[in-house]
Amino acid sequence: MRPTLAVGRRLGGLAIVFLGVTFLIYAMTFALPGDPIKALGGERPLSDAVVRTLRAEYHLDQPLWLQYVQYLGGLFRGDFGTDFNGQSVGEQMASRWPVTITLALTAWALEIVLGIGLGVLSALKRGTALDKTVLVGTIVVGAIPVFVLGVALQLVFSVRLHWFPVAGVTAGWPTAYILPAFVIALFGLAAVSRLTRTSMIETLDADYVRTARAKGLAPGRIVGVHVMRNSLIPTATYLATDLGYLMGGTVIIEGIFNLPGVGNLLFQGIRSHEGAVVVGISTALILVFLVTSVLVDLLHAALDPRVRTGAAA
């Protein structure tokens, strides 16, 4: 397949996914029970005339498909919509992205350092108590819901031991970010360690590694140069993909630790039935994930010559 055709098909597929997912989120958000316009009045109900005016202003009196088309038109102009208080969703996100990006990158760094480190140790010490401990630990961590783990670690390390702040980002990086980032990273960390272990074990049993040992190369050189370079290709691909998941996986953790990021804004939008906020942030996160997917494909092709050869065939 020619590279240009392959890229075109990939971009076409991403466009279909984007339209399908955003329409589904848009429909589900505005299908929630309750009228957000009437809720704006609180204990003092709005008059029917005011309700009709506001519904027309926010296009809620139009068919769903037409609302979605108008939303896409604004999106292509860089407009993520306006909430029911008249505030731009894009401006609200812009002020909160630094917190979410810092949290996601901190969690990503923990995944890389701890996940790869534990995976390498398990592979080099396979069959030992260390190897079994890492395997059991990753299985246990994967079985615990993230909100349970987040609240538990918050109670232990923040409330009782006072090692980290309970909530907020006043303490700055890394103090305010390290604990919530660790909670997010634990699940990806478990997958990275298992993937690294499996890939390294396969590489350690490869013929060229046995040949290198027979030639008398130092064990450190064999592992560092020959084994790591080849066995970390699937790990690097997973880590690149997981960065997109981390950006969207901060919603619950930002809510638990009260971090003023995009995830917390989405959490508040769901609670207050702010459809424009929910749809706008969800769309931004989808775009982040799709862009990350394209970069992962490029990274995989750069790391693995077999992918480039297959694409050019």
Side-chain angles (χ1 to χ4, degrees):
M1 183 182 298
R2 294 179 180 179
T4 304
L5 181 59
V7 172
R9 292 183 59 180
R10 177 63 171 165
L11 293 177
L14 291 178
I16 294 174
V17 171
F18 174 77
L19 292 175
V21 175
T22 52
F23 179 77
L24 181 61
I25 293 175
Y26 194 94
M28 293 175 62
T29 300
F30 287 94
L32 292 174
D35 191 337
I37 297 297
K38 292 182 177 180
L40 292 176
E43 297 180 356
R44 300 179 60 182
L46 300 175
S47 65
D48 292 339
V50 173
V51 171
R52 286 195 298 270
T53 301
L54 290 176
R55 289 182 65 84
E57 180 180 349
Y58 290 101
H59 310 293
L60 297 178
D61 58 341
Q62 299 176 351
L64 179 64
W65 67 268
L66 184 56
Q67 295 181 43
Y68 176 69
V69 170
Q70 292 175 339
Y71 172 73
L72 284 181
L75 187 63
F76 291 141
R77 297 191 302 270
D79 182 10
F80 284 88
T82 304
D83 66 12
F84 295 127
N85 294 316
Q87 296 180 323
S88 170
V89 177
E91 292 179 358
Q92 294 181 60
M93 286 193 296
S95 63
R96 292 172 176 259
W97 272 121
V99 174
T100 297
I101 292 174
T102 302
L103 179 62
L105 290 178
T106 304
W108 199 49
L110 291 174
E111 282 189 16
I112 294 174
V113 175
L114 298 180
I116 293 179
L118 290 174
V120 170
L121 287 176
S122 295
L124 296 178
K125 303 291 183 180
R126 54 178 164 174
T128 63
L130 174 63
D131 181 28
K132 296 177 181 178
T133 300
V134 172
L135 288 176
V136 172
T138 56
I139 294 174
V140 171
V141 166
I144 303 175
V146 63
F147 61 89
V148 174
L149 189 60
V151 172
L153 294 182
Q154 186 183 45
L155 288 173
V156 173
F157 293 103
S158 298
V159 177
R160 296 184 180 178
L161 298 178
H162 305 289
W163 290 1
F164 304 100
V166 177
V169 294
T170 306
W173 189 89
T175 307
Y177 290 91
I178 195 69
L179 185 59
F182 181 71
V183 175
I184 301 175
L186 271 177
F187 299 91
L189 186 153
V192 169
S193 64
R194 291 196 298 267
L195 182 61
T196 302
R197 176 187 181 275
T198 302
S199 182
M200 279 203 64
I201 289 176
E202 293 177 354
T203 307
L204 286 169
D205 293 335
D207 293 337
Y208 71 90
V209 175
R210 287 196 291 266
T211 302
R213 291 197 187 102
K215 290 181 177 180
L217 292 180
R221 180 175 177 81
I222 294 175
V223 173
V225 176
H226 299 283
V227 177
M228 294 284 289
R229 183 176 59 184
N230 293 283
S231 62
L232 289 185
I233 291 178
T235 303
T237 303
Y238 174 84
L239 284 169
T241 305
D242 196 49
L243 182 59
Y245 284 109
L246 288 174
M247 294 292 291
T250 61
V251 178
I252 297 176
I253 297 303
E254 287 184 4
I256 293 174
F257 289 89
N258 195 26
L259 304 178
V262 172
N264 198 358
L265 181 62
L266 176 59
F267 182 74
Q268 295 173 5
I270 294 173
R271 292 180 58 185
S272 59
H273 285 196
E274 283 282 2
V277 174
V278 175
V279 174
I281 296 176
S282 300
T283 301
L285 293 176
I286 292 169
L287 288 172
V288 169
F289 180 78
L290 293 179
V291 171
T292 304
S293 299
V294 174
L295 295 178
V296 167
D297 290 343
L298 297 176
L299 175 65
H300 195 187
L303 293 176
D304 195 343
R306 293 172 296 180
V307 176
R308 297 195 300 270
T309 304

